[in-house]
Amino acid sequence: MPSHTRHVALSAAVAGALVLTGSVALLPAAAATTGVTASLPARTTSVPSANPVSGSGQAVVWQQSTSADRLPHGWLSVAGGTPQDLGALAGDGDYANPDAVSVQGSVVATATSTNPNGDLADHVTLRHLDTGVRETLTVAYDASANTLDEHYRAQAGDGILVQQAYENGDSEYRVRLVLRTSGGDRTLFSDDEQYEVLASDADGALVLRRTAPGWGHRIDYVDFATGTTVTVTEPDTDQLPQGLEFTPSRFGVIDGATLTEWRRSAPADGPATVTLPTDKARWISDDTLAWYTWSANGNELYAMARDGSTAPAADLGGTFGDVSVGDDGRMRALLYRPDKDAAVLTLTAGRVSKADGDATTIPAGPARLDALVLSGGTLYTADDSSRANGVLLSSRLAAGPSGVAATTPSRVLAYSTGTVHQTLAADGHRVLVEQGNAFQVYDNGTPTGVPLELEDISGDVVRGFDGGHFLLSDKTTDYNGTLLLYTVATGKTERVSSGSVLYKGALYTSVKSGTSASSIRRTDLATGTTSTITTVDCLPGGLQVRGPWVLLTTCGADSHQGLLIKTGTTTTRTPVDTSGMMTPVLGADTLYTFTRSTGTSITLNAQPLGLTGATTQPLFTLPSRANTGVAERWAVDRDAPWAAWMDDDGVTHTVWAGAPSPSSGSASVPTGFSPNGDGSSDTWAPTWTYNRPVSWTLTLKSGSTSVRTLTGTAPGGNVSPVWNGKNTAGTAGAEGAYTWTLTAKDTVTDEPAAGLSGTVTLRRSVPAASATAPALASDGSTGAVIPVGWAAKTVGVTSYDVGWRVATRSSTGVWTLGSLQTWHTRTTAKSATFGASGSPVTPKSGQTYRFYVRAHDDAGQTGAWSAAAATGVPVDDRSSVLTYKGTWTSTSVTSAWAKTERVSGATGATVSFTGDGTKLRIVATRRSNGGRFAVIVDGVTVGTVNTYASTTSYRKVVFTYTLGTKITGHKAQLKVLSGSSAGRSTVHLDAIMVTR
């Protein structure tokens, strides 16, 4: 065995993780005949990677196969440097293989054979790292098994340990263990049956002896300098004891939590007993005690300082597969981290050393990918890599304007047992794998639902999976013609007909409904509701369902004729030739078919569905399987237009098989424009962003007459035509609506995209609108609300903005109009009530509100604000700003402003007030007893008002007087005059308004 290395027999299998190195290369795949492809480099893994690992000082050696040569190579790394390939070792079939390369001190030993087919080494090359000197020690291996047959057993510093056969004096077959150096041989043990060197260095070795003549077993330590031997233990069989110690200063055996050890400097002094902190302790170095603990992810390594100066370390992370101790007395561990390379790390005092040169990365080896599964644009690959715990990886695919991209694969989950490659299925982020004799669903790497446990699933095949259910063809299927339908969440099982398929939580079946007619029925698995989605005039077979499409691979007596149906239509029924080498596969947007190419080769083809002019395109030649017991090395995506295949070098290629489509939410298509030269919306400039480079044509029509055609290419997928409003002849187009149609084709595959169409309006006049409002709020109401209306003055108006303003006075007494306030934005209404629920403010008495409106039209134009429509809110007769003299009576009147009036029939009675404004309005009630009053402004009588009317009318503006063009202060007075007759002498004052 290598220097200071011992693999404990009871250690469990390493739970490594697939290692991914390098970046994803976007390279065309040689097997593809068309389409857009990306290539993911061949997977590499650190498991199985390096076995065994040996360390001495800062030199580390291991065995590992390369992708080009399956035989193990020796590898060397000094001081954490770049690993050096020492070349292929002697062979892989017998004793030399485990010990073919090792390092002790500054000497590297490589065992090889001159016979390229030899199983055993016939010489060992010793490479001195400090001087560069090389020497060769021969090993006399005789394939005829005659005497003097030799087997290389281990390195011993600058020598080697050789098992040598001979016959004793009684002509009995015996072997001896020889220490061979350039100076000659020296026998260490003899008269035994077989030797296995458990650990060695330049000073001594632990040797498992199969002693004669009783065929017993004994582990001895031998000191090379003195020849002293000490028996460490005598096991009943050739199985190793629980653990062994072999460090630069000590050797011993572990039994339970007890270590019996000898000092190598004085082995004859006898052993000492050391109590270990746990019976799981396995390897001891001069400074570190370590042990494994089993978990679901494999062996986890814990370590602590030998002298107890540190508490037991927490889990060091990752999974440790091999441990060795260098002759510098430091422990080394081979560490596997999820999705990382293996690394040889140095442990010091129970901790991973961070010193330069104390960590060596082991190059990743080739992985074995057992399955390719595509779902919704995600590629899943299963990797067993000849280990108990495999991994499942995922890579997200995308077809963008710059090409096809594939993310670096990342681990989804680690599985423990089972041939996952035969049962792997995926639906979005849910995957179904086999584990032992159970089927388990994972959601984003976490187990979900109830696993389906069966006694024997070796012959079971998953026929369908929708994330929540799966269909299983089991042994019963062969006898009763049914499938097992399993509900993941509840564990419910039921039998369904063999022709059933799953899609998005529903079960689809074909049911005969007549002599030569059948119905395709859908059963919602959540509710149990069954409905007929389509009918056919034939007896269908090979049912497939994806999206709105149904594929019958046989339809009627002719078994080579299928039928493609789009549900919800009666005309989209297309015959499908199913006479090819393999049955067509229906995707949500793609139909995959197969044709024979050359010889026995089969080509996979793809045709986008539902697109006028779409053609069938060849994608790639299907790769052959390595043998009938493994999965196919290709897959198609039934939920997105993707296909993938793996070549003989392990490189996985993906090809996009779809048609271009606009990115969701990426379009910007104005509904109109106005080529009037005002610098605003003078051209129509829509944009669409496709997920692929396209060539495009935009056609504009007025009615059925073609007006203009624009064409171009969009290498980046951004379609950006510009129409200036002129026709093909270069003259201005008429105002009105135009229809547009956009067609596009992929510039690489020539596949058409789905067509787009719509309308655009051309306007040359700027939209205009006007607002209306009563002069006083009292004109239509008894309270402070203002009905406001607006209307278009031009054609094509689609919405309105409505605003309002009021006059405000500065601290110096200057009145100005305030800023425009928003009331409505892009409303399609034509009226509203200012002051009602939802208004920005509550109208105040004495205030004048001015309303404005502007219009938006179907060409995307916005007009100017209209002239103001002003409304004043009158001051009620009870307001404190009014001063009454003489006899006045306040009365409640339901129909009056604010529902009150101030009444006087006394000649000479007055009401006085002061106000700032431009116009005075008096609101009163006209009645049959209405009297007269005079209006005095700034000391001058400006009018006389008679409020008589034969019929009563409320809230009437009985007097209007213009005060000026600027808002200034004025004093006003109303004075009751004698009646025109005895019965017409009463004034009913309701409100006063000074407009500002």
Side-chain angles (χ1 to χ4, degrees):
M1 293 296 293
S3 169
H4 313 314
T5 304
R6 181 62 241 163
H7 300 274
V8 175
L10 53 79
S11 64
V14 177
L18 186 68
V19 176
L20 303 170
T21 59
S23 58
V24 175
L26 301 180
L27 304 174
T33 56
T34 188
V36 187
T37 64
S39 298
L40 285 76
R43 303 294 194 273
T44 54
T45 180
S46 58
V47 183
S49 60
N51 186 32
V53 173
S54 177
S56 179
Q58 291 189 351
V60 179
V61 294
W62 63 90
Q63 288 183 51
Q64 186 176 34
S65 297
T66 67
S67 59
D69 188 344
R70 297 303 177 185
L71 293 177
H73 283 215
W75 293 80
L76 166 71
S77 178
V78 180
T82 302
Q84 305 171 46
D85 187 350
L86 301 179
L89 304 177
D92 57 1
D94 208 334
Y95 305 114
N97 183 55
D99 304 310
V101 61
S102 61
V103 60
Q104 292 179 9
S106 61
V107 181
V108 176
T110 305
T112 55
S113 172
T114 56
N115 181 355
N117 297 317
D119 289 331
L120 299 178
D122 57 20
H123 65 279
V124 178
T125 301
L126 299 175
R127 176 187 300 183
H128 294 259
L129 298 175
D130 51 355
T131 64
V133 174
R134 298 191 186 196
E135 58 181 321
T136 299
L137 300 177
T138 60
V139 180
Y141 169 60
D142 186 348
S144 64
N146 293 327
T147 57
L148 297 180
D149 182 27
E150 295 182 343
H151 292 257
Y152 170 67
R153 282 294 179 248
Q155 179 185 6
D158 56 0
I160 61 174
L161 297 174
V162 177
Q163 176 182 299
Q164 189 179 81
Y166 69 96
E167 290 183 358
N168 64 10
D170 297 326
S171 299
E172 296 173 322
Y173 178 86
R174 291 290 185 267
V175 295
R176 52 182 165 246
L177 186 66
V178 174
L179 172 61
R180 177 169 295 165
T181 66
S182 58
D185 290 356
R186 181 158 60 92
T187 299
L188 302 176
F189 297 110
S190 62
D191 205 32
D192 288 330
E193 295 291 341
Q194 185 179 355
Y195 300 103
E196 182 180 353
V197 178
L198 304 180
S200 67
D201 59 13
D203 300 319
L206 275 176
V207 182
L208 174 62
R209 306 172 59 187
R210 215 171 164 194
T211 58
W215 295 78
H217 298 81
R218 192 168 71 203
I219 297 177
D220 285 355
Y221 171 76
V222 57
D223 184 273
F224 295 155
T226 64
T228 303
T229 63
V230 174
T231 297
V232 175
T233 183
E234 295 186 68
D236 294 334
T237 68
D238 59 358
Q239 293 295 316
L240 293 179
Q242 174 182 313
L244 291 172
E245 177 188 42
F246 189 86
T247 75
S249 64
R250 297 175 177 86
F251 65 87
V253 62
I254 301 169
D255 183 10
T258 300
L259 166 65
T260 303
E261 66 175 9
W262 290 260
R263 289 179 299 134
R264 294 178 69 177
S265 61
D269 290 350
T273 300
V274 178
T275 301
L276 304 176
T278 171
D279 61 2
K280 296 177 181 178
R282 293 297 182 267
W283 290 275
I284 304 292
S285 75
D286 276 348
D287 65 358
T288 304
L289 168 68
W291 61 91
Y292 280 141
T293 299
W294 171 252
S295 72
N297 293 323
N299 281 331
E300 304 296 342
L301 182 64
Y302 291 76
M304 63 177 289
R306 179 189 177 100
D307 61 6
S309 60
T310 60
D315 181 3
L316 298 177
T319 301
F320 289 75
D322 195 5
V323 173
S324 64
V325 180
D327 58 11
D328 57 358
R330 291 188 295 177
M331 170 186 274
R332 291 180 174 80
L334 178 62
L335 169 64
Y336 301 103
R337 295 188 186 277
D339 300 329
K340 301 291 184 183
D341 285 347
V344 178
L345 303 177
T346 295
L347 305 180
T348 302
R351 296 292 187 268
V352 174
S353 172
K354 299 185 182 303
D356 292 342
D358 279 353
T360 299
T361 298
I362 297 177
R368 188 183 80 232
L369 295 184
D370 299 302
L372 297 176
V373 173
L374 284 159
S375 178
T378 297
L379 172 67
Y380 294 94
T381 53
D383 167 33
D384 289 328
S385 290
S386 303
R387 61 179 183 251
N389 289 350
V391 295
L392 185 66
L393 306 168
S394 70
S395 179
R396 188 65 184 166
L397 309 177
S402 59
V404 169
T407 60
T408 300
S410 60
R411 190 173 72 168
V412 177
L413 61 93
Y415 52 88
S416 57
T417 58
T419 52
V420 68
H421 62 274
Q422 294 187 7
T423 56
L424 177 64
D427 184 84
H429 51 76
R430 285 198 169 193
V431 294
L432 171 67
V433 299
E434 174 191 330
Q435 294 191 325
N437 281 332
F439 292 96
Q440 175 70 61
V441 173
Y442 286 82
D443 191 329
N444 282 323
T446 302
T448 186
V450 181
L452 174 59
E453 298 181 357
L454 301 170
E455 292 184 1
D456 181 11
I457 60 176
S458 58
D460 296 348
V461 179
V462 176
R463 298 297 185 189
F465 177 57
D466 69 351
H469 316 81
F470 59 87
L471 288 170
L472 195 66
S473 174
D474 57 6
K475 295 180 179 179
T476 308
T477 304
D478 298 333
Y479 301 102
N480 62 19
T482 64
L483 295 174
L484 179 68
L485 173 63
Y486 188 77
T487 301
V488 175
T490 63
K492 176 185 176 183
T493 61
E494 59 182 297
R495 288 285 165 181
V496 297
S497 61
S498 59
S500 302
V501 295
L502 279 170
Y503 182 61
K504 290 191 179 300
L507 186 74
Y508 294 81
T509 55
S510 58
V511 179
K512 186 176 180 180
S513 56
T515 304
S516 61
S518 296
S519 300
I520 308 300
R521 294 185 181 176
R522 176 187 184 276
T523 300
D524 189 303
L525 294 177
T527 64
T529 304
T530 298
S531 58
T532 297
I533 62 171
T534 191
T535 59
V536 292
D537 295 329
C538 66
L539 299 178
L543 175 64
Q544 297 184 39
V545 177
R546 268 301 182 272
W549 299 95
V550 174
L551 175 66
L552 308 176
T553 57
T554 61
C555 189
D558 185 358
S559 61
H560 299 304
Q561 184 67 59
L563 186 64
L564 180 65
I565 304 169
K566 186 173 184 181
T567 58
T569 68
T570 58
T571 57
T572 308
R573 292 172 178 252
T574 307
V576 176
D577 182 9
T578 58
S579 61
M581 298 297 297
M582 303 176 71
T583 302
V585 178
L586 177 64
D589 302 301
T590 310
L591 178 64
Y592 299 97
T593 58
F594 305 86
T595 54
R596 186 184 295 278
S597 47
T598 58
T600 59
S601 297
I602 299 175
T603 297
L604 174 67
N605 311 292
Q607 179 180 355
L609 298 177
L611 297 177
T612 303
T615 58
T616 300
Q617 301 281 350
L619 297 182
F620 54 81
T621 300
L622 300 185
S624 59
R625 291 192 290 187
N627 58 68
T628 57
V630 300
E632 295 281 5
R633 293 188 295 127
W634 63 273
V636 297
D637 194 332
R638 300 191 64 194
D639 299 308
W642 290 96
W645 79 97
M646 187 190 308
D647 62 25
D648 292 337
D649 294 325
V651 177
T652 302
H653 307 277
T654 61
V655 57
W656 184 67
S661 62
S663 301
S664 177
S666 65
S668 174
V669 186
T671 58
F673 70 120
S674 55
N676 52 19
D678 64 354
S680 175
S681 300
D682 284 331
T683 60
W684 183 56
T687 60
W688 298 271
T689 301
Y690 280 83
N691 63 347
R692 295 286 303 133
V694 294
S695 59
W696 54 268
T697 300
L698 180 69
T699 303
L700 294 144
K701 291 184 177 181
S702 176
S704 60
T705 303
S706 179
V707 175
R708 187 76 179 270
T709 299
L710 304 173
T711 61
T713 59
N718 297 314
V719 177
S720 303
V722 177
W723 183 35
N724 59 5
K726 295 182 179 181
N727 57 26
T728 304
T731 58
E735 283 194 288
Y738 293 81
T739 59
W740 58 263
T741 302
L742 179 69
T743 59
K745 291 196 304 182
D746 193 300
T747 57
V748 177
T749 65
D750 210 35
E751 288 292 344
L756 300 172
S757 61
T759 60
V760 58
T761 302
L762 187 156
R763 297 291 178 197
R764 299 188 184 280
S765 56
V766 177
S770 60
T772 57
L776 296 182
S778 58
D779 288 348
S781 174
T782 61
V785 292
I786 305 170
V788 183
W790 51 87
K793 297 174 68 176
T794 56
V795 297
V797 172
T798 57
S799 62
Y800 304 87
D801 297 335
V802 184
W804 57 280
R805 299 170 75 183
V806 294
T808 58
R809 184 169 59 180
S810 69
S811 59
T812 60
V814 178
W815 287 90
T816 57
L817 281 177
S819 60
L820 185 67
Q821 306 293 312
T822 300
W823 183 16
H824 293 291
T825 301
R826 290 194 176 272
T827 179
T828 57
K830 299 293 183 67
S831 63
T833 301
F834 195 76
S837 176
S839 289
V841 296
T842 299
K844 297 180 179 180
S845 61
Q847 189 67 274
T848 301
Y849 295 87
R850 291 170 173 80
F851 299 98
Y852 307 83
V853 64
R854 66 179 180 182
H856 303 282
D857 69 8
D858 52 11
Q861 299 184 101
T862 299
W865 288 103
S866 68
T871 299
V873 180
V875 174
D876 183 48
D877 62 273
R878 294 171 294 177
S879 175
S880 60
V881 302
L882 302 181
T883 302
Y884 292 93
K885 289 185 178 181
T887 302
W888 293 88
T889 302
S890 181
T891 60
S892 296
V893 180
T894 301
S895 299
W897 176 252
K899 299 184 179 181
T900 62
E901 292 179 345
R902 193 64 61 101
V903 180
S904 178
T907 300
T910 63
V911 54
S912 302
F913 56 91
T914 300
D916 293 351
T918 59
K919 184 170 290 188
L920 171 65
R921 290 184 175 88
I922 308 299
V923 180
T925 302
R926 292 188 181 275
R927 302 176 64 98
S928 59
N929 66 345
R932 298 182 308 133
F933 64 88
V935 180
I936 304 167
V937 176
D938 296 330
V940 178
T941 299
V942 295
T944 300
V945 179
N946 188 350
T947 62
Y948 166 80
S950 59
T951 302
T952 302
S953 56
Y954 299 96
R955 305 186 313 280
K956 293 299 179 181
V957 178
V958 296
F959 180 78
T960 300
Y961 178 74
T962 299
L963 300 172
T965 58
K966 295 183 178 180
I967 301 176
T968 56
H970 299 275
K971 295 181 178 181
Q973 185 182 73
L974 308 185
K975 184 177 182 179
V976 178
L977 302 176
S978 60
S980 59
S981 64
R984 301 177 182 176
S985 59
T986 304
V987 174
H988 299 260
L989 179 64
D990 197 353
I992 296 172
M993 180 66 204
V994 178
T995 301
R996 57 174 180 260

